[in-house]
């Protein structure tokens, strides 16, 4: 029962440690939604929300729920005009979502002329952890919070293809070199020098290694560790598999301009085939049965939370 003054005088890290207040599950406010075509999307939302809620009640112990507030909200983007909080899940439409947030906040007229670099390196959007404690709490309690997720194996393979099968000035020298050095026997000098040409099996060996030569990365980190869906009560759970429909319904919910629609274009490597279940199957063939099982186990919580069927 800390007073506001006491809360503000202490750092979030000191007083929030171990504190957990179960969030209330509010019905979606769909008063701004026009037309009757959204009935199925709305119904899917209610099912996803109550499914996640039941999962969190069933599986979470108080011990697991202890985390620092600032860390908890570090991946959440803020759009103050329409009171939106968006938790970024890479490889689940996040580039186009950031474009949409830039349009909503008045930073751009259209999502179609914002470059990839502007989206990811422009520092145009604010994250929730940049606000003071009161600002964080006010927004968590009053803004519409959304998360968009994807089948975990599809997301993983998509990340691998994007970062390791195309030239990349960060992932090859930082991750690629370390992965090849540790997991490739008789690696040649060129591979060790550039870090290019990492094989999927080597990447999985790195992922499953408790003594990884380089740390975790947000592109293949579990959603449970990026967005904390059992601690933050997301009002809207979108899925990559129904991305456009979910996103356009969400835009109506928050009162976005009628002409703003979620972009359809693929952000990068547009000529590549999208990572589908069939594409994933081809990559999983490179792994042993045990490696496939361990990879599934790695994403087990994400499969359960968002009701994805095991591959």
């Amino acid at each position: 029962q800390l007073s506001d003054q006491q809360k503000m005088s202490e750092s979030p890290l000191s007083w929030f440690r171990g504190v957990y207040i179960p969030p209330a599950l509010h019905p979606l406010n769909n008063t701004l939604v026009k037309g009757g075509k959204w009935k199925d999307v709305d119904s899917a939302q209610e099912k996803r929300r109550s499914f996640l809620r039941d999962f969190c009640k069933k599986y979470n112990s108080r011990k697991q729920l202890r985390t620092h507030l600032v860390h908890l909200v570090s991946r959440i983007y803020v759009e103050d005009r329409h009171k939106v909080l968006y938790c970024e899940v890479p490889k689940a439409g996040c580039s186009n979502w950031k474009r949409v947030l830039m349009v909503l906040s008045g930073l751009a007229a259209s999502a179609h002329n914002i470059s990839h670099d502007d989206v990811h390196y422009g520092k145009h959007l604010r994250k929730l952890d940049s606000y003071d404690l009161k600002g964080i709490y006010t927004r968590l309690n009053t803004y519409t919070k959304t998360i968009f997720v994807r089948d975990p194996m599809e997301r993983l393979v998509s990340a691998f293809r994007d970062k390791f099968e195309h030239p990349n000035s960060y992932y090859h020298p930082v991750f690629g070199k370390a992965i090849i050095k540790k997991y490739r026997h008789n690696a040649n000098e060129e591979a060790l020098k550039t870090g290019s040409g990492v094989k999927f099996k080597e990447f999985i060996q790195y992922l499953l290694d408790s003594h990884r030569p380089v740390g975790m990365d947000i592109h293949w980190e579990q959603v449970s560790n990026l967005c904390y869906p059992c601690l933050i009560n997301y009002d809207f759970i979108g899925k990559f598999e129904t991305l456009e429909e979910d996103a356009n319904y969400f835009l109506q919910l928050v009162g976005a301009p009628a002409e703003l629609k979620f972009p359809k274009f693929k952000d990068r490597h547009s000529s590549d085939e999208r990572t589908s279940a069939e594409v994933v199957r081809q990559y999983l063939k490179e792994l042993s049965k045990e490696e496939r099982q361990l990879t599934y186990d790695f994403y087990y919580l994400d499969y359960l939370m968002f009701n994805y069927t095991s591959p």
Side-chain angles (χ1 to χ4, degrees):
Q1 296 289 319
L2 293 171
S3 70
D4 282 349
Q5 195 56 46
Q6 281 175 299
K7 283 180 184 175
M8 297 307 289
S9 66
E10 291 185 62
S11 80
L13 301 191
S14 67
W15 77 263
F16 195 78
R17 191 178 289 119
V19 175
Y20 172 59
I21 303 154
L25 190 66
H26 301 296
L28 272 175
N29 178 7
N30 52 16
T31 51
L32 296 170
V33 175
K34 295 177 179 69
K37 66 172 184 171
W38 301 106
K39 202 172 171 184
D40 290 346
V41 190
D42 187 69
S43 168
Q45 270 312 304
E46 290 312 316
K47 283 178 188 158
R48 287 174 196 171
R49 279 158 32 107
S50 60
F51 185 91
L52 178 60
R53 182 75 172 172
D54 291 345
F55 166 85
C56 292
K57 279 182 187 167
K58 187 175 171 185
Y59 285 90
N60 269 316
S61 68
R62 287 189 71 83
K63 191 180 175 192
Q64 287 173 303
L65 294 168
R66 289 179 185 167
T67 191
H68 297 153
L69 177 62
V70 171
H71 180 66
L72 199 74
V73 300
S74 63
R75 306 267 16 123
I76 295 180
Y77 285 89
V78 179
E79 201 288 288
D80 281 316
R81 269 189 181 181
H82 297 80
K83 299 191 171 180
V84 170
L85 296 180
Y86 163 71
C87 188
E88 176 188 26
V89 175
K91 311 312 298 175
C94 73
S95 299
N96 279 338
W97 258 117
K98 286 194 253 187
R99 287 184 172 93
V100 165
L101 293 179
M102 286 171 71
V103 175
L104 285 175
S105 61
L107 291 165
S110 162
H112 292 269
N113 49 20
I114 307 169
S115 73
H116 178 87
D117 284 358
D118 243 5
V119 166
H120 291 286
Y121 311 116
K123 306 255 186 283
H124 301 295
L125 298 166
R126 254 184 109 170
K127 285 186 180 168
L128 192 51
D129 61 355
S130 69
Y131 293 82
D132 64 15
L133 192 56
K134 190 179 176 192
I136 292 173
Y137 258 108
T138 303
R139 286 167 179 80
L140 276 176
N141 290 328
T142 59
Y143 284 22
T144 307
K145 301 174 288 296
T146 186
I147 179 176
F148 272 71
V149 297
R150 184 177 186 177
D151 174 275
M153 288 293 189
E154 279 189 25
R155 188 176 155 245
L156 175 69
V157 171
S158 176
F160 172 78
R161 293 174 77 201
D162 180 27
K163 303 307 176 194
F164 295 103
E165 291 187 350
H166 294 273
N168 193 297
S169 59
Y170 172 72
Y171 284 91
H172 291 200
V174 175
F175 286 86
K177 278 162 84 168
I179 289 171
I180 289 169
K181 186 179 176 184
K182 183 161 185 183
Y183 307 107
R184 185 177 298 179
H185 304 300
N186 308 319
N188 66 39
E189 217 173 300
E190 179 70 11
L192 290 168
K193 194 172 123 188
T194 64
S196 296
V198 169
K199 295 179 173 68
F200 186 63
K201 189 179 179 76
E202 294 166 339
F203 173 65
I204 295 302
Q205 286 175 297
Y206 143 79
L207 185 79
L208 300 175
D209 189 347
S210 56
H211 302 288
R212 291 185 197 100
V214 271
M216 188 44 73
D217 182 86
I218 61 166
H219 290 84
W220 44 86
E221 178 69 275
Q222 300 103 322
V223 177
S224 50
N225 288 341
L226 288 172
C227 296
Y228 298 95
C230 284
L231 277 169
I232 294 170
N233 196 34
Y234 290 96
D235 302 293
F236 192 95
I237 301 161
K239 289 195 169 183
F240 187 79
E241 294 75 14
T242 49
L243 178 60
E244 277 177 55
E245 198 175 32
D246 289 350
N248 288 325
Y249 180 57
F250 179 80
L251 289 173
Q252 285 215 12
L253 284 174
V254 298
E259 67 276 8
L260 178 60
K261 299 285 183 279
F262 192 80
K264 291 183 181 183
F265 61 83
K266 195 170 185 279
D267 189 46
R268 291 201 303 170
H269 317 310
S270 53
S271 60
D272 286 6
E273 182 189 352
R274 274 202 189 273
T275 303
S276 62
E278 185 47 48
V279 169
V280 169
R281 202 171 287 121
Q282 298 308 315
Y283 279 82
L284 292 183
K285 280 180 184 173
E286 297 174 30
L287 308 180
S288 68
K289 192 176 177 182
E290 186 190 18
E291 284 168 333
R292 289 198 293 269
Q293 182 62 49
L294 289 170
T295 307
Y296 170 74
D297 294 345
F298 186 83
Y299 291 105
Y300 183 59
L301 270 187
D302 288 359
Y303 273 101
L304 288 185
M305 280 181 169
F306 302 108
N307 202 16
Y308 281 109
T309 51
S310 56

